[in-house]
Amino acid sequence: MTVPAIAARKGGEPIVCLTAYTTPMARCLDAHVDLLLVGDSLGMVIYGMENTLGVTVEMMINHGRAVVRGREFACVIVDLPFGSYQASKFEAYRTAARVMAETGGDGVKLEGGVEMAETVAFLTARGIPVLGHVGLRPQSVKSMGGFKVQGKNAPDADQVLRDGKAIAEAGAFAMVIEGTVESLARELTDELPVPTIGIGASAYCDGQILVTDDILGLFTDFTPKFVKRYADLNSGIKEAARAYAADVRARKFPGTEHCFGVDQGPKRASG
Ligand code: KIV
């Protein structure tokens, strides 16, 4: 699945996206999705951070590489982390080019609106596909005063619309819309020439994305309203660990079927 193939899905078959951070997870998801996002949400989901601000380029490269190793079909997009691209379009190019070269991913995602349009134009003109991200922008959690739904009043909604248009005009191939009221998602989807990929943005999007650990019930620190749980792996893991611990303590594990050379004994020279 290529970047142009994703872009061509505007108004067509919904684009299915999930996050992935590791090779085994990428292998599990690959056949079922169109796009795998190596999101900087990994800071919270697998490193236990309070938000995404502490995620580094090195983390993104290591996990991006791991995901690319596990995919055969899906388009892989890697997030540019906080502080690695905002200072200038030149800094953004250097970071994005490094991420592309060292991960083998198909493109990068960056957060921002009107203020990032020049940067998006600079990257896309130089062969770096960019997935935009407007609405609730987790890297701006401090200035937003928390993870807050966007577009609840007219000036706020107008700003998000301007942001989406600016990033699409600058050349982004698609746009993540996060945490917005339905009416705004609908307007963005109707007005942008590129596919919108919603997360907490209603069904009025050209595709959907969720954090995989949320839908699997693996990340249980909190469950946002927009997440649907498709499995409860957290309970499954705890039950497996409990059963293993009980077996070891009761000397039921390992059994003979887990041992090498049972009943054979080492051959030793006699005398
Ligand atoms: O970091 C991330 O995983 C994301 C998605 C949730 C859109 O940005």
Side-chain angles (χ1 to χ4, degrees):
M1 183 57 78
T2 61
V3 160
I6 299 282
R9 294 271 283 274
K10 176 73 190 171
E13 187 191 343
I15 304 164
V16 181
C17 316
L18 281 170
T19 60
Y21 315 126
T22 64
T23 304
M25 190 59 87
R27 286 193 180 128
C28 286
L29 305 177
D30 183 61
H32 306 285
V33 301
D34 300 305
L35 187 148
L36 287 171
L37 174 69
V38 187
D40 62 354
S41 52
L42 62 80
M44 298 168 78
V45 176
I46 58 175
Y47 287 93
M49 295 174 175
E50 187 181 311
N51 54 49
T52 58
L53 304 187
V55 174
T56 64
V57 174
E58 285 66 31
M59 283 167 152
M60 296 312 301
I61 287 175
N62 287 337
H63 289 278
R65 228 184 242 152
V67 168
V68 168
R69 272 184 214 121
R71 73 89 186 256
E72 267 185 54
F73 165 77
C75 179
V76 175
I77 301 298
V78 183
D79 257 346
L80 298 185
F82 176 70
S84 72
Y85 64 94
Q86 292 93 339
S88 72
K89 58 189 180 186
F90 305 106
E91 179 192 54
Y93 180 80
R94 273 191 292 276
T95 307
R98 186 176 163 213
V99 165
M100 298 279 293
E102 294 186 29
T103 64
D106 299 301
V108 298
K109 175 165 81 60
L110 57 81
E111 295 181 14
V114 175
E115 78 290 355
M116 291 307 299
E118 193 187 343
T119 294
V120 172
F122 192 78
L123 298 187
T124 53
R126 285 159 182 76
I128 298 181
V130 175
L131 174 61
H133 185 151
V134 298
L136 194 167
R137 291 175 276 129
Q139 292 180 8
S140 302
V141 62
K142 299 287 184 187
S143 51
M144 286 179 159
F147 296 100
K148 294 197 172 139
V149 174
Q150 302 296 298
K152 281 186 164 171
N153 57 55
D156 186 24
D158 287 348
Q159 183 56 52
V160 179
L161 200 54
R162 274 197 296 277
D163 287 340
K165 284 181 178 168
I167 296 299
E169 271 166 26
F173 72 90
M175 190 86 49
V176 168
I177 303 177
E178 179 163 357
T180 61
V181 294
E182 187 185 84
S183 52
L184 175 56
R186 192 196 291 247
E187 245 181 307
L188 282 159
T189 301
D190 287 347
E191 296 201 18
L192 298 190
V194 298
T196 54
I197 299 172
I199 173 163
S202 86
Y204 291 100
C205 295
D206 297 299
Q208 297 290 329
I209 185 162
L210 283 173
V211 170
T212 299
D213 297 62
D214 284 338
I215 71 165
L216 298 181
L218 273 171
F219 182 71
T220 53
D221 289 6
F222 61 88
T223 306
K225 176 182 165 68
F226 56 79
V227 168
K228 179 171 174 185
R229 269 217 182 140
Y230 288 85
D232 180 12
L233 298 194
N234 198 280
S235 303
I237 290 171
K238 285 180 183 156
E239 176 47 30
R242 189 207 56 75
Y244 167 73
D247 277 359
V248 170
R249 290 189 182 112
R251 299 194 186 281
K252 285 188 185 164
F253 176 83
T256 51
E257 70 274 29
H258 306 117
C259 298
F260 299 105
V262 176
D263 296 334
Q264 285 174 12
K267 288 198 176 69
R268 294 203 178 86
S270 55

